[in-house]
């Protein structure tokens, strides 16, 4: 039997963040403060049952929560009114709304404020769509398919999508809306991780004798994965865990594919694989079950602080970029930690699909993300350049940015160094004011990266230039001149 696991299976960034936050809440709560989740934190009964056993009670309405309690906002997000009502009741919210969903809320709120119609492509009964509709005073047109979209006769609208919609459905609805002649502002808000997961499932299902789709039966993204797999491979099975595996049916198949929804823990994926076979083949290479488990474990490993990682941009706005690191959690690169010049914004430098190399500065931003910095990675390279200049006695250019006691602070790219007053010039300097803002050519006289110290000298460069001129003069002088 050959078993192949589709890429991008298991928890996505938003779900991982929500689950991590929920477990952290129940583990760290004090004085038996009630903890609730508004609806299931994710569509996976194993996880929600465990959280409930630890004290995180599921409620369906805010009125069920006690004043002063803790309420976890799930990754699907909530309406604007929900936040206002919770504040009025004195309920402390732990907001795990997926960044992709929060971006949709911002887009919808702004467009609604500007008088545009809001069109959401998705399921009107899905909690994410209900939450999004709440950011335009519940006035959105919600269409599940092109047939429903045919009723729209407005003149100007913002079109967004439920993050787990199928891209084909989104495009079909757009075709109908464009035919109506309306002026449309289209934002494809389908989560890029969802697109990749669906694409991977579709391509794998074409080649398999059978497909196993793992996930909660009420999970929208997993249902769509099942529909996609079944369209390519008639013998597709939708299971929540290894107990539901149709072992008799799949025992007759030679090639079996596995794909897991965004709400499926890696533990359940492992259990399904283990139940099916002890020896598997992945990507046409013979590997053992232990090899696959090791590979899954590696994908769940968190990088350590200071580690250099590489990933691809899956979403970006002016405040942050989300980087897929092909692991348990995605990376977060904020504008503050990016190497930007002048008035540049993150969206000017980073785009979906770009490969990014960055340095890990924190493995948990308290919201389930890994904080990254390209600026600090650049700093490492700049320290190397400064050290090389010291060793080779070469010159570098720095900009004087601040006057301090005894000298000035000068910046070499992202590294700051000190120039003593006595090293600013080959003449006596009474005040350093005249040097502020100037770009000076300097020698590096000392480097201590561990203590974040570098010392520069402009005087040494001036002395070297003076000596060169003297040497040139002496070389041209002849007896009798």
């Amino acid at each position: 039997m050959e078993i192949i696991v589709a890429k991008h299976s298991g928890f996505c960034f938003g779900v991982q963040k929500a689950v991590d936050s929920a477990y952290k809440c129940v583990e760290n709560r004090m004085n038996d403060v009630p903890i609730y989740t508004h609806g299931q934190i994710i569509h996976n009964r194993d996880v929600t049952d465990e959280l409930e056993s630890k004290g995180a009670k599921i409620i369906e309405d805010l009125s069920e929560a006690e004043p002063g309690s803790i309420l976890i906002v799930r990754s699907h997000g909530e309406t604007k009114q929900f936040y206002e009502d919770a504040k009025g009741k004195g309920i402390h919210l732990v907001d795990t709304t997926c960044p992709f969903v929060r971006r949709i809320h911002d887009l919808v709120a702004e467009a609604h404020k500007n008088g545009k119609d809001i069109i959401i492509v998705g399921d009107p009964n899905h909690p994410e769509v209900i939450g999004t509709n709440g950011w335009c005073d519940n006035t959105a047109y919600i269409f599940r398919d092109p047939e429903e979209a045919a009723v729209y006769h407005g003149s100007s609208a913002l079109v967004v999508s439920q993050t787990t919609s199928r891209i084909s459905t989104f495009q079909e609805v757009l075709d109908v809306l464009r035919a109506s002649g309306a002026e449309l502002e289209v934002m494809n808000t389908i989560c890029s991780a969802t697109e990749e997961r669906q694409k991977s499932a579709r391509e794998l299902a074409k080649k398999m004798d059978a497909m196993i789709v793992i996930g909660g039966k009420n999970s929208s993204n997993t249902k769509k994965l099942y529909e996609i797999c079944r369209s390519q491979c008639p013998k597709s099975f939708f299971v929540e865990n290894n107990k539901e595996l149709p072992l008799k049916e799949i025992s007759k198949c030679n090639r079996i594919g596995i794909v897991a929804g965004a709400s499926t823990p890696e533990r359940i994926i492992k259990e399904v694989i283990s139940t099916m076979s002890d020896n598997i083949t992945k990507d046409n290479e013979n590997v053992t079950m232990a090899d696959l488990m090791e590979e899954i474990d590696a994908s769940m490993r968190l990088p350590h602080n200071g580690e250099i990682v590489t990933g691809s941009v899956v979403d970006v706005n002016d405040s942050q970029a989300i980087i897929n690191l092909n692991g348990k959690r995605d990376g977060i690169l904020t504008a503050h930690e990016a190497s930007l010049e002048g008035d540049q914004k993150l969206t000017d430098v980073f785009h979906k699909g770009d490969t990014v190399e960055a340095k890990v500065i924190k493995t948990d931003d308290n919201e389930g993300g890994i904080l990254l910095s390209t600026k600090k990675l650049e700093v490492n390279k700049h320290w190397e350049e400064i050290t090389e200049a010291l060793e080779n006695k070469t010159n570098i250019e720095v900009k004087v940015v601040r006057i301090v006691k005894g000298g000035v602070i000068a910046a070499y790219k992202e590294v700051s160094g000190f120039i003593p007053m006595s090293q600013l010039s080959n003449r006596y300097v009474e005040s350093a004011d005249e040097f502020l803002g100037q770009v000076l050519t300097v020698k590096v006289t000392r480097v201590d990266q561990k203590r974040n110290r570098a010392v520069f000298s402009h005087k040494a460069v001036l002395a070297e230039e003076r000596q060169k001129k003297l040497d040139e003069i002496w070389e041209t002088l002849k007896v009798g001149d």
Side-chain angles (χ1 to χ4, degrees):
M1 180 185 292
E2 181 183 8
I3 301 174
I4 300 178
V5 182
K7 294 179 181 178
H8 313 290
S9 289
F11 279 176
C12 68
F13 166 74
V15 169
Q16 186 69 61
K17 170 186 170 184
V19 171
D20 288 348
S21 297
Y23 277 107
K24 189 176 292 184
C25 278
V26 296
E27 290 168 4
N28 298 334
R29 73 168 173 168
M30 300 175 64
N31 302 323
D32 294 324
V33 175
I35 296 178
Y36 307 100
T37 64
H38 189 227
Q40 291 182 316
I41 192 73
I42 62 169
H43 290 142
N44 183 275
R45 286 187 300 180
D46 291 62
V47 173
T48 54
D49 288 350
E50 183 177 10
L51 283 170
E52 196 157 16
S53 71
K54 292 177 180 289
K57 183 181 177 182
I58 299 173
I59 61 173
E60 298 302 330
D61 192 87
L62 195 58
S63 62
E64 300 175 51
E66 295 181 26
S69 60
I70 297 171
L71 195 153
I72 302 168
V73 178
R74 53 190 173 176
S75 59
H76 295 123
E78 296 289 354
T79 65
K80 182 179 180 181
Q81 189 62 47
F82 178 90
Y83 288 91
E84 294 173 356
D85 292 344
K87 183 178 180 181
K89 288 191 66 172
I91 295 172
H92 174 66
L93 296 180
V94 177
D95 196 349
T96 70
T97 302
C98 173
F100 295 154
V101 176
R102 188 179 292 116
R103 175 170 172 259
I104 301 174
H105 293 173
D106 293 340
L107 291 169
V108 165
E110 183 65 22
H112 179 62
K113 179 182 175 183
N114 294 331
K116 286 189 175 183
D117 289 340
I118 305 300
I119 297 175
I120 305 172
V121 181
D123 179 357
N125 299 313
H126 192 279
E128 180 194 312
V129 175
I130 293 171
T132 299
N133 194 17
W135 289 87
C136 60
D137 298 327
N138 298 309
T139 61
Y141 296 86
I142 304 172
F143 303 134
R144 277 175 288 208
D145 52 47
E147 287 74 23
E148 292 184 359
V151 304
Y152 180 72
H153 298 294
S155 59
S156 175
L158 168 72
V159 185
V160 297
S161 174
Q162 182 179 329
T163 56
T164 55
S165 290
R166 295 177 67 169
I167 187 64
S168 58
T169 302
F170 184 64
Q171 293 297 342
E172 289 167 0
V173 171
L174 281 180
D175 290 341
V176 172
L177 293 173
R178 285 181 174 129
S180 72
E183 182 182 333
L184 304 177
E185 180 185 358
V186 179
M187 302 298 294
N188 179 2
T189 53
I190 297 175
C191 173
S192 55
T194 298
E195 290 186 54
E196 290 296 327
R197 193 187 305 266
Q198 292 178 356
K199 180 181 177 182
S200 178
R202 182 180 294 104
E203 292 305 311
L204 183 60
K206 291 177 181 178
K207 310 169 187 174
M208 297 295 106
D209 299 324
M211 285 292 296
I212 304 296
V213 182
I214 313 170
K217 294 295 174 62
N218 56 345
S219 166
S220 173
N221 81 85
T222 311
K223 286 179 182 176
K224 290 182 176 66
L225 286 176
Y226 174 61
E227 292 168 3
I228 290 169
C229 290
R230 192 172 57 177
S231 70
Q232 304 298 325
C233 177
K235 193 171 284 189
S236 293
F237 303 93
F238 192 164
V239 303
E240 288 200 7
N241 50 48
N242 63 330
K243 296 175 183 177
E244 296 183 359
L245 278 172
L247 295 177
K248 287 185 179 180
E249 288 87 342
I250 62 177
S251 64
K252 304 172 185 177
C253 302
N254 294 321
R255 292 168 59 81
I256 301 174
I258 292 180
V259 62
S263 300
T264 307
E266 68 272 13
R267 170 178 57 82
I268 292 179
I269 300 174
K270 288 182 177 181
E271 288 172 354
V272 167
I273 295 171
S274 181
T275 301
M276 290 172 62
S277 176
D278 289 328
N279 292 283
I280 67 171
T281 302
K282 184 176 182 297
D283 295 338
N284 298 320
E285 294 180 8
N286 291 321
V287 294
T288 65
M289 174 62 65
D291 292 330
L292 181 64
M293 295 309 179
E294 185 177 335
E295 182 177 319
I296 295 177
D297 287 338
S299 71
M300 298 300 129
R301 183 188 74 84
L302 292 177
H304 56 74
N305 288 353
E307 185 174 338
I308 308 301
V309 295
T310 301
S312 60
V313 177
V314 295
D315 192 59
V316 60
N317 54 44
D318 289 344
S319 61
Q320 67 178 21
I322 298 177
I323 315 295
N324 177 12
L325 302 176
N326 293 317
K328 183 177 181 180
R329 296 176 181 167
D330 285 350
I332 306 296
L333 174 65
T334 63
H336 178 69
E337 288 296 338
S339 300
L340 304 176
E341 297 180 2
D343 296 328
Q344 277 187 331
K345 298 178 180 178
L346 278 173
T347 48
D348 296 327
V349 179
F350 301 100
H351 306 90
K352 279 189 179 182
D354 286 355
T355 299
V356 177
E357 186 179 45
K359 185 175 184 178
V360 176
I361 56 176
K362 195 175 182 182
T363 56
D364 188 353
D365 65 349
N366 297 321
E367 293 189 346
I370 299 169
L371 291 183
L372 304 177
S373 175
T374 56
K375 185 182 290 185
K376 286 184 170 55
L377 182 61
E378 289 294 318
V379 168
N380 283 354
K381 295 177 181 177
H382 300 157
W383 275 110
E384 291 173 5
E385 292 169 6
I386 289 174
T387 301
E388 186 178 339
L390 173 66
E391 294 172 350
N392 298 333
K393 298 181 180 180
T394 53
N395 300 339
I396 61 173
E397 288 191 343
V398 299
K399 183 176 182 179
V400 178
V401 294
R402 192 166 75 253
I403 299 173
V404 295
K405 184 178 180 180
V408 299
I409 299 298
Y412 173 75
K413 298 180 181 178
E414 298 293 340
V415 175
S416 294
F418 178 63
I419 305 179
M421 192 76 81
S422 62
Q423 298 301 310
L424 274 171
S425 178
N426 55 0
R427 57 178 173 79
Y428 173 71
V429 177
E430 185 173 349
S431 172
D433 290 349
E434 63 180 286
F435 294 93
L436 190 61
Q438 284 192 25
V439 176
L440 304 177
T441 303
V442 298
K443 292 283 188 186
V444 181
T445 60
R446 183 182 173 192
V447 173
D448 187 346
Q449 187 174 349
K450 289 183 179 179
R451 301 176 68 182
N452 207 33
R453 290 183 181 178
V455 181
F456 307 135
S457 172
H458 181 49
K459 180 179 179 179
V461 173
L462 295 175
E464 186 179 72
E465 291 175 351
R466 181 175 182 276
Q467 188 59 50
K468 283 183 180 179
K469 289 180 180 178
L470 286 173
D471 290 343
E472 288 174 3
I473 292 172
W474 284 113
E475 285 177 5
T476 59
L477 286 177
K478 298 176 182 177
V479 177
D481 286 351

